[in-house]
Amino acid sequence: MGDRLLSVYEILFDRYGELHWWPARTPYEVMVGAVLTQNTAWSNVEKAMAGFGEKLSPSFVADADLIELTRIIRPAGFFNQKAGYLKAVTAWFGGYGYDVATVQKEPLAKIRSELLATRGVGQETADSILLYAFGFPTFVVDAYTIRLCGRYPIEAGKGYTAVKAYFERNLPQSAEVYNSFHALIVINAKEHCRKKPRCGGCPLGGTCGRCGI
Ligand code: SF4
């Protein structure tokens, strides 16, 4: 079964090549984006991020009053909640002096559990921050991953924890691979495996059980 997963990775890699996901200039921007993208399209996150201008930094968010923060992130929706979440994640990061290397010295399980205990941080947000901001080897499961598993199918089980464990069990334990595979799943979902699939030209068409159905 692991071979099947690896072959999906290889097929996608052959088509799209080496990709790296998370459009951000700094690890802190990844953290902010991971919170803002909850329940909204990435285009709205981009608008909210642009509202920070050059001011986006942990100290700015920590010091900003909630009204100002809410005004800036309004385009991302759920702005009252998300302003509180951003404050909470930033306060957590502040416990490490806003220093990426200090976080990276800690065990993955400890940091993951701290993030999950932070207001507004669920599993996908925690894993996105761990993988993309700090380079920890943890697989991010998102709606695109679940969709691909359901259609192909990849029998990864049900629910976030099971799917994450399946991918981690069947792939090399590598942040690079997890990052690249997730990016490949995302691009193929946007190009082909959309809500209404466009199977023509999909690189997985030759092996996917749902091709053309
Ligand atoms: S062949 Fe169709 S259903 Fe299968 S992964 Fe590609 S787009 Fe999705």
Side-chain angles (χ1 to χ4, degrees):
M1 193 51 83
D3 292 349
R4 189 165 167 80
L5 189 63
L6 273 175
S7 105
V8 168
Y9 178 53
E10 283 162 12
I11 292 167
L12 291 176
F13 193 92
D14 283 350
R15 167 65 66 89
Y16 299 107
E18 183 76 51
L19 299 172
H20 281 285
W21 178 243
W22 207 285
R25 291 172 302 178
T26 65
Y28 183 66
E29 275 194 23
V30 174
M31 297 168 69
V32 172
V35 169
L36 294 183
T37 198
Q38 293 173 6
N39 302 307
T40 196
W42 185 256
S43 54
N44 295 328
V45 177
E46 286 177 334
K47 286 180 203 144
M49 295 288 240
F52 283 103
E54 293 305 309
K55 293 185 291 195
L56 182 54
S57 70
S59 50
F60 174 78
V61 171
D63 294 343
D65 69 44
L66 272 175
I67 293 173
E68 183 183 15
L69 197 52
T70 301
R71 183 187 56 73
I72 293 173
I73 67 168
R74 180 173 283 265
F78 304 98
F79 39 85
N80 287 320
Q81 284 174 35
K82 288 182 180 177
Y85 298 168
L86 280 186
K87 287 271 189 191
V89 169
T90 304
W92 167 80
F93 194 29
Y96 291 92
Y98 304 138
D99 186 57
V100 171
T102 304
V103 176
Q104 288 170 324
K105 282 184 196 136
E106 299 292 330
L108 163 59
K110 172 177 180 265
I111 298 298
R112 190 168 194 271
S113 135
E114 288 176 3
L115 283 169
L116 288 173
T118 302
R119 189 168 161 234
V121 178
Q123 297 210 78
E124 186 182 337
T125 305
D127 287 327
S128 297
I129 291 172
L130 287 161
L131 179 63
Y132 297 114
F134 298 111
F136 283 107
T138 189
F139 198 85
V140 178
V141 176
D142 63 1
Y144 298 130
T145 316
I146 302 280
R147 183 190 295 164
L148 176 63
C149 287
R151 286 180 178 166
Y152 193 70
I154 296 165
E155 308 284 357
K158 292 251 180 293
Y160 192 100
T161 304
V163 175
K164 172 181 161 60
Y166 179 88
F167 274 71
E168 292 182 354
R169 220 170 35 245
N170 290 290
L171 293 170
Q173 198 200 13
S174 153
E176 282 284 305
V177 171
Y178 295 168
N179 185 325
S180 160
F181 200 174
H182 186 240
L184 292 166
I185 290 171
V186 171
I187 194 170
N188 199 57
K190 291 187 171 168
E191 299 278 326
H192 293 286
C193 208
R194 301 174 167 193
K195 276 188 187 155
K196 187 167 181 215
R198 293 200 314 196
C199 299
C202 174
L204 298 173
T207 47
C208 176
R210 279 283 298 278
C211 183
I213 297 175

